[in-house]
């Protein structure tokens, strides 16, 4: 389903979601790009810790 079709089918719901996302990103002082990079860094850090634990366990 493309974006235009979704807007035509549920215009109030889509408008409400858009408003909510704008308020959410604006209230924190950061854009979506910042939050995306923050999530990537979190996942990379989590993966690095997992690899470190696996390395430590296989060393014994």
């Amino acid at each position: 389903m493309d974006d235009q079709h979704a807007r035509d089918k549920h215009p109030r719901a889509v408008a409400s979601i858009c408003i909510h996302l704008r308020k959410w990103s604006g209230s924190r002082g950061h854009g979506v790009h910042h939050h995306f990079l923050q999530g990537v860094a979190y996942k990379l850090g989590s993966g690095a810790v997992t690899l470190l634990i696996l390395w430590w366990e296989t060393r014994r």
Side-chain angles (χ1 to χ4, degrees), residues 1 5-16:
M1 181 185 310
H5 181 69
R7 277 187 230 117
D8 292 342
K9 192 170 181 181
H10 304 287
R12 291 181 76 188
V14 172
S16 174

Side-chain angles (χ1 to χ4, degrees), residues 20-52:
H20 175 76
L21 289 174
R22 273 191 221 109
K23 284 182 182 178
W24 175 79
S25 68
S27 68
R28 288 167 172 65
H30 302 293
V32 174
H33 182 74
H34 172 80
H35 291 288
F36 175 76
L37 290 178
Q38 211 173 15
V40 168
Y42 178 79
K43 286 292 186 184
L44 286 175
S46 175
V49 169
T50 302
L51 288 175
L52 185 63

